[in-house]
Every structure is written in C-alpha cells, then in structure tokens.
Amino acid sequence: MTSTQVRGRVMVTGAQLVSEAMQLLADHRLEPIFAPAYSTPDDLAAMARDHEVDAILVRQGSIDRSVIAASPRLKVIAKHGSGVDNIDLAAATEVGVPVLRALAANAQSVAELAISLTVSLMKDVLSLDSQVKAGGWPKTKYVGRDLAGAVFGVVGFGEIGQRAAALARGLGMKVIAYDPFAADTLEIAVSRDLSEILRAADVVSLHCPLMPQTHHLINAERLSLMKQDAFLINTARGAVVDQAALVKALQTKSIAGAALDSFEEEPPPSDSVLWTLPNLIATPHVGGASRSALRNMAVQSATHIIGVLEGRGYDSQALANKNLASAA
C-alpha cells in the first residue's frame, strides 16, 4: 500500500495477525504497524506518536496513559482477546476512545486447555513421563485418580467457565461454581460463597477477569481452605493468584499441585522458584492460541477497528470501558 492509498494506521502490539485479519485491514486501506512482542509502554508510545496511529490492536504489552495519549488521531483500541487488564480504561475514556473486546472468541480454546491441564495433573502425566524416560517403570506401585466423580470447582462462571464446566461434566466430573454475579443454569446452582467451592473441590479452575476485586483472589488464606489432595488451575490472569503464596503451598504440599497458563510477570524470569516445583505444570499463556481462537480474535478485532474508523460505531456488548457513553 502506498502512502496515498492508506486511510489509517493500526498499531498491532505483538505477534502477526492471521491472514484473514490482514486482508480485512488491507481491503479497508488500513496499514498495520507491528510493535515487537512485550514492547515497553515508552516504546509503544513512541511508535504510536511517530506513525500517528488511528487504532491500536492489542495482543501484548501495557497500553497505559502515555500510549493512549501519544497519537492525536487515535479513535479506537481493540483487544485481541477478552482480558483488558493491560489497558488503561480510564485514560481511554477520558479521550473518548472505545476499548473493544473480542467476545467469546477464544472461550472454547481456553476451556479446553483448562481441562487438558486438569487431566494431566489428576493422571500424573508429567511425573509418570519423567520417571519412564529416566529408566523407571512405576507400574507396580502406581495408583491413579478417577476423573469421574471428582469435583470440578469453577471460579468465574462466564463464557469460558461455563464451557469448562460442560467439558468437565462430559468427563463425568461433578461441577460446582462460584460467581458473585452469574445466574444458575439448569445443571449448576452458582454459589456466592467462594470458601464453599474451595473446600469441596478436587480441582479449582480459575476463569474470572482480573480487576481490583479479584487481584490475589487466591491467596494464602484461601489456598489453606483447599483439600490437601486438590489441584489449582489458572488459565485466567496471573495476578488472580498470589504467586508467592502458591509457591509456599506447593513446596509444603498443602495442595497436591497446580497448573498455570498465566503469571504475575510475563514472561517469568528464567531463575523463578516456580521451575523448581515438581508439582507444577506451566504453559506460556497460550490458552487462547488455537487456530480457530486466533482467527476469531484477530478478525473480530479488525472488524471492531474498521467499524469505528468508518463511522459505523461498535457493538456495545464488546465495550470494555462501559462508562464511555456517560463520559461523552
């Protein structure tokens, strides 16, 4: 695209977009400007300012006040996913910029990873794998757990939590759920008491958004409520869990194990104490990285941007800064 053909510029923070999203942007004469993965806010602000971007498509990195203020042309921010804890919503609202989420685009993919991690932990897959590869053969001593009949506790009963619950029920697990806002379903009565879920569950799977009320929701006190043979799965945001408290719980074996797809610091340092824990499974925040999820998130994000830049507005259900209308 030549400069005369370009109608606007979209800063994409992180990895490349799927070809369908790239084609969408090209068809509407929008030029993508790619920032390296995990660029600092200073780097992103400089890029937004230098290119006078009209939109930001957020995959990684922190979109703080300085980034939002950098380009006077900025009209929309689209999140390649649903979590917006890395975007300063208040700053966006102050300048009238909608922040739009890709609704349910990666829900199935994240739910599937949560269940995959659950099965891996309950069936001791990593431990057995390492023993066999080291020359052992623990067949005669090994006694495994049953998934059927085990209690799967969902914390956060939105789209992802409900899909994880459905998958767990398909494996014969009994599902219980906590959410202060969600309604009951035909199959599941949703509790308003988190302690009740933590005490009863054999697996606690986190699916709540990160906000001030959920920061370190799972702390030392709440970890102490879990069964000693229970597991914690986090495919939500890293800071929902007090990582230091979790490390202690795993070291002392006050819970049986954990699986983390997200961390308080990403990527975690190479010398993190987490890597010394044999009862921890770690994946690099890839819950939403299946082929279909990546396509859905990218296309939905590009569509959000195109709609705003071409004057057609946006889907209010996707709006993350809900007070934007009242601030306008």
Side-chain angles (χ1 to χ4, degrees):
M1 236 183 297
T2 66
S3 58
T4 56
Q5 293 174 317
V6 172
R7 292 173 54 185
R9 292 181 173 86
V10 179
M11 182 170 72
V12 181
T13 68
Q16 288 282 332
L17 300 174
V18 299
S19 59
E20 293 96 329
M22 291 291 288
Q23 189 60 54
L24 259 179
L25 295 176
D27 289 346
H28 292 265
R29 293 161 55 193
L30 297 174
E31 179 185 6
I33 308 295
F34 289 94
Y38 299 106
S39 295
T40 67
D42 286 346
D43 292 336
L44 294 175
M47 181 172 286
R49 181 174 57 251
D50 293 346
H51 293 278
E52 293 190 340
V53 299
D54 301 86
I56 303 174
L57 198 161
V58 184
R59 294 201 63 178
Q60 293 133 359
S62 175
I63 309 302
D64 67 9
R65 184 175 294 272
S66 69
V67 181
I68 292 167
S71 173
R73 294 177 57 89
L74 183 67
K75 296 181 181 65
V76 59
I77 299 171
K79 179 62 190 287
H80 189 277
S82 58
V84 292
D85 51 282
N86 59 333
I87 302 172
D88 189 331
L89 298 181
T93 299
E94 286 173 18
V95 294
V97 171
V99 178
L100 304 172
R101 299 173 296 136
L103 294 174
N106 63 357
Q108 186 66 23
S109 179
V110 177
E112 288 175 0
L113 179 61
I115 296 301
S116 297
L117 294 172
T118 295
V119 174
S120 296
L121 282 170
M122 291 194 69
K123 293 299 185 181
D124 301 298
V125 172
L126 266 63
S127 172
L128 293 172
D129 174 78
S130 62
Q131 290 180 66
V132 172
K133 288 178 178 177
W137 193 251
K139 176 178 174 64
T140 57
K141 297 179 181 179
Y142 178 72
V143 179
R145 302 173 186 83
D146 293 316
L147 288 164
V151 178
F152 187 77
V154 178
V155 176
F157 204 54
E159 183 71 28
I160 298 173
Q162 290 181 40
R163 293 194 188 207
L167 292 171
R169 292 181 72 244
L171 293 171
M173 302 182 81
K174 176 185 176 183
V175 176
I176 56 177
Y178 161 80
D179 194 303
F181 307 109
D184 296 347
T185 68
L186 291 175
E187 299 85 8
I188 301 167
V190 181
S191 174
R192 303 292 186 255
D193 184 354
L194 178 57
S195 299
E196 175 187 8
I197 303 302
L198 296 176
R199 289 190 176 98
D202 297 300
V203 177
V204 175
S205 190
L206 305 179
H207 300 287
C208 51
L210 177 60
M211 56 183 70
Q213 301 94 312
T214 61
H215 184 268
H216 286 185
L217 179 71
I218 305 301
N219 53 23
E221 178 184 356
R222 289 185 170 129
L223 285 166
S224 72
L225 299 177
M226 292 175 60
K227 300 176 183 179
Q228 192 171 0
D229 59 353
F231 299 99
L232 179 72
I233 312 288
N234 187 14
T235 55
R237 287 293 187 264
V240 172
V241 178
D242 181 339
Q243 196 165 284
L246 176 62
V247 166
K248 185 173 181 181
L250 293 173
Q251 288 174 330
T252 60
K253 298 184 178 178
S254 64
I255 64 172
L260 305 178
D261 185 51
S262 57
F263 303 83
E264 291 200 73
E265 178 185 353
E266 292 189 353
S270 59
D271 61 350
S272 172
V273 67
L274 291 169
W275 314 146
T276 68
L277 302 169
N279 50 351
L280 173 76
I281 296 177
T283 53
H285 206 149
V286 292
S290 73
R291 290 181 180 87
S292 63
L294 289 172
R295 180 194 176 280
N296 293 341
M297 289 186 290
V299 169
Q300 197 173 143
S301 298
T303 302
H304 285 324
I305 287 170
I306 291 164
V308 172
L309 295 186
E310 295 186 351
R312 294 192 300 277
Y314 52 80
D315 177 3
S316 61
Q317 293 299 312
L319 186 68
N321 45 342
K322 294 293 186 184
N323 55 348
L324 181 69
S326 60

